[in-house]
Amino acid sequence: MSDGPRPGGPPGVPPYRTGPAAEPAEGPGSAQSAVARQLAGAVRRLQHTVERMRSEEGARAVVDLATGMLAERLTVSPAEAAARLAALAREAGVPVATLAADIVGRTDEAPARDDGPRPSGPHGVSGPQSALAPAVPSGPVGAPAPPAPARALAAVPDLSGAVEAVLRQGAAPLGAHAALVWQRLPGGSLALAAQAGLPLAEAESWSRVPPGVDTPARQAVTSGEDRWPDAPAPTGPVAGGSATPRAVLPLLADGRRLGALEVLWPGPAPVLGPPQRRRLRALADLCATVLGHPEPPVPPDREADLLDGLLDPAMLLAPVLRDGRAVDFTVLRTNRLFRDPLGRPRAGLDGTSLLETYPMACATGLLEPLLRAHETGEPRTDDRLRLVFQGGGIAVPAVLRIAVAPLGPHLLLSWQRDTDRSGEPEQTDLLRQAQRLARVAGFEEQPGSGRILWSEGLSELFGLPPESAVPLARLSRHVHLDDGPAVRRLVDTVQHRLRTASAVFRLVRPDGSQRYTRVIAEPVLDEEGRLAAIRGAYHDVSAQHWTEVALGATRARLADSEQETAEREQLALRLQQAILPAAPPPLGAPGLRAAVRYRPAAKRERVGGDWYDVLVLPDRQVLLAVGDVAGHGVGAATGMVALRHALRGLAVTGAGPGRLLEWANIVALREPEQVTATAVCVLLVPDDGSLRWARAGHLPPIRLAPGGAEVLPLPHGVLLGALADAEYEEYTARLVPGDVLLLYTDGLVERRDRPVEESVDQLIRAAGPPGPDLEQYLDLLLELSPADTDDDTCLVAVRIERPRSAG
């Protein structure tokens, strides 16, 4: 008897008999009959498999369609929609496929229904576990199809099934043998919410972890960071054994840490690349979705009642999430006791960003406890913070005690001023003393009631008794007539434009005296944005004003003095430039070649007393001299002129260089301004190259020969103008043809960080022997000069020329 085609069988497959008549008779074709029986059995098994797969595929298609519809209608992600579908099925006490078919068949009705109480199961969940089927990419048109793990979890009625799915579909392909989901409980404990692959006895021993036990799961919940198998093994006792490699990932939902997913491996630590880590992270997100049921929002009217029922200022905050973490909060509402530290109305704070409203307070410690309370879900009480509220150009420091508590998906923040005010009297005295020293006094007035409050010092400033307080609207009657318009503009800006303003005016007291005063005033608005009060401060700036007047007069006198000094320096500079020749005069002596250089200081207004002279005397000797008069300006220039011309005039007497310096010393002593100077005087005989020289505290000459340089010895001689009976020692030397005699002032080699002798040696070695062109050699010396004293410099160089051969 034929059974007919099987329902749901594949098309084109002929019917097969399953009764005894189908058995072939024994005989020569028995081998073929055995093969036929085997083929018939295989076909039957395939038909059963196809029927089961089609039935399961239909159920999965309905679940996928219902998940997509929920994601579209509830504007949530596919994973959240899958979790919501599983939760609704548990509440209804029906299989997920049945509820999915109900949603797809009646889309105009609410998808949830309550068929009665549902039986409770382990871990606070209920319902039988259903087998997980492979993912089938299907879903409604226009709705995103949920990922394969999301669709699998949608068919799981409890967390245990979800963990088994995580282990079977995500972790087992990576070699893992166990998966655990830890749930954070109020008070800091951890509970093993579900597990798969762990022995039952060990799972029962780890059902709850007290707050003091530091496990990898607690570390992940506390830090919010992932732990991978290549991390160091934990030191204490942990589930699965401390030597077991593990990956621990925190479970985050809406920026809150709900617990941790722990995956264990039986052997050596596996190497997980970025794709494998992303896969485990996605599975952790799905477990967080199943573990964290969205808390029902508190009705707005209940929120308002709760806020207004508090005895402290409070505000309700909503987290601003970015990449799954809270980064800021939105101010939803404030209670009736709340007062903005910066004086802004309550209504203007609703809907604003906490970071933008109180940036400095968040930077000084307000934001951190809020983020911590939101992430951990644990309230924080009695945190004492030193904050600074800044805005509108003012800064208000405050010490607050705050309390933070989660309220559904929101945060409730309450604060009050620190009650520990043991040092308040001292601080009040300090503030009063500071106001007295700075001559600052504050006020507050209420235009509606006419009440005016003056601080100490304001009555003294106005010269009025405290009961005669002057309102801001009548302030113009107490100021100078010329300053009335400025005061009226200030009053108009504060009272009508509701903006902070300031003005400086002359306050006329009853006795006729005047005080220069600066006032700054700001409006205080009520909840409707209307003017409730005006507060501000007066600052007596009379002393500052008279100081500025005196400073202006001093500046005028200083300008005249600077002009006079500049004219004197300019005169001295012109005098110096007129006296010192730009080039040496013709020597008129055969066999001599001379070059001079004068470099003024970098600051041209600092005219110095450096000078030089090259003069052929009547007896055919050549006078070479350089000197440096102490000081700058006209006095130094006139002293330089006196000494230079004294030496020129006295040199024609035929006296030696030592005697010439003694006479120059007498001239310096007789000068009206008591001139002091250094000098070196040389008398050179061109015919034989002999020279005599003396010095008055000056640097010695340098003889530059083809074989090297030599600093001539130092004869005794003090500064010109220092002693009345000073004597000057003479030394002699001789130059041969090709030698160069170099005279210079200290502006060429003087440095603040080393002796002059080292600078001279460094300069001569750097410059090398002089070439045939003395002018070029002096330019090279000036270019290589190591001096750093910003002083004038004089150079004189004389060379004994080699005689030209006859013919």
Side-chain angles (χ1 to χ4, degrees), residues 12 66 83 151 176 237 470 484 514 526 564 682:
R151 293 194 299 270
V470 178
Q514 296 181 3
D526 58 15
E564 180 181 354
V682 179

Side-chain angles (χ1 to χ4, degrees), residues 359-603:
M360 186 59 69
C362 291
T364 52
L366 179 60
L367 187 61
E368 191 275 334
L370 301 180
L371 295 176
R372 189 74 176 174
H374 174 75
E375 290 179 359
T376 62
E378 299 176 358
R380 299 176 65 93
T381 59
D382 204 25
D383 280 345
R384 186 172 182 269
L385 302 177
R386 293 183 177 272
L387 306 177
V388 177
F389 295 89
Q390 184 174 6
I394 61 174
V396 179
V399 179
L400 301 180
R401 292 188 180 274
I402 70 168
V404 188
L407 182 62
H410 302 150
L411 276 186
L412 182 63
L413 169 63
S414 175
W415 70 39
Q416 63 178 351
R417 296 279 181 174
D418 188 7
T419 56
D420 183 11
R421 301 182 179 181
S422 57
E424 184 176 358
E426 291 81 359
Q427 293 193 6
T428 302
D429 292 341
L430 287 176
L431 180 60
R432 185 181 296 109
Q433 184 74 2
Q435 291 177 344
R436 184 185 64 82
L437 293 176
R439 304 187 68 82
V440 176
F443 71 93
E444 180 174 340
E445 62 179 77
Q446 299 174 357
S449 63
R451 181 174 180 270
I452 302 177
L453 177 64
W454 276 13
S455 67
E456 297 181 9
L458 208 52
S459 298
E460 191 276 332
L461 176 63
F462 275 81
L464 298 172
E467 61 272 11
S468 301
V470 178
L472 197 64
R474 295 205 299 266
L475 178 60
S476 60
R477 303 178 186 180
H478 297 263
V479 304
H480 193 277
L481 292 178
D482 295 340
D483 299 333
V487 173
R488 284 189 286 271
R489 283 195 300 270
L490 177 141
V491 175
D492 177 71
T493 302
V494 176
Q495 288 189 340
H496 299 96
R497 301 184 184 181
L498 304 181
R499 293 167 50 190
T500 303
S502 64
V504 178
F505 53 87
R506 287 163 289 182
L507 181 65
V508 180
R509 294 156 53 92
D511 59 1
S513 61
Q514 296 181 3
R515 295 284 184 89
Y516 283 84
T517 308
R518 180 176 184 266
V519 63
I520 180 170
E522 66 173 359
V524 179
L525 307 181
D526 58 15
E527 297 181 2
E528 287 74 21
R530 296 174 299 187
L531 182 65
I534 299 175
R535 61 189 177 191
Y538 289 88
H539 184 198
D540 187 355
V541 295
S542 301
Q544 177 183 351
H545 171 75
W546 293 118
T547 300
E548 291 178 353
V549 172
L551 182 60
T554 302
R555 286 174 177 170
R557 291 194 298 269
L558 181 60
D560 295 340
S561 177
E562 290 177 349
Q563 179 66 23
E564 180 181 354
T565 301
E567 292 175 355
R568 288 172 58 87
E569 297 292 349
Q570 186 67 21
L571 175 62
L573 179 62
R574 291 178 179 176
L575 179 63
Q576 188 181 47
Q577 292 173 345
I579 294 172
L580 293 179
L587 294 179
L592 286 181
R593 179 73 58 83
V596 298
R597 284 291 183 274
Y598 171 71
R599 181 180 65 182
K603 296 180 179 180

